[in-house]
Amino acid sequence: MMPNHPPAIDLRLYATLAPLAPPNADRFPIETGMTIGQLLEKTAIPLAEAKLVFVNGIKAQLSTQLHGGERVGIFPPVGGG
């Protein structure tokens, strides 16, 4: 019998958010059905700092549900100058 692994995502944080990445970001455990908003709470990433979120390369909302196996990219607000 195969061990029962919790669902996990590949979490990628960019630019100023990169230092907040957990050590296990490439296999970050989630609960099936967890939303992006709940993921931000769990990882202590400030909501105001998560300006753009992509799931498998597609722009996602805070209400987007995760099921495991996704690649999630989170970008901070982009400053210009």
Side-chain angles (χ1 to χ4, degrees), residues 9-49:
I9 58 169
D10 182 3
L11 178 61
R12 300 183 184 207
L13 304 180
Y14 294 94
T16 54
L17 296 178
L20 300 177
N24 59 343
D26 60 336
R27 290 184 319 280
F28 191 76
I30 63 161
E31 295 169 31
T32 299
M34 172 184 272
T35 65
I36 298 292
Q38 291 168 326
L39 173 68
L40 294 176
E41 284 179 24
K42 182 176 180 179
T43 55
I45 297 167
L47 223 53
E49 294 300 312

Side-chain angles (χ1 to χ4, degrees), residues 26-27 53-54 67:
D26 60 336
R27 290 184 319 280
V53 179
F54 291 90
H67 302 284

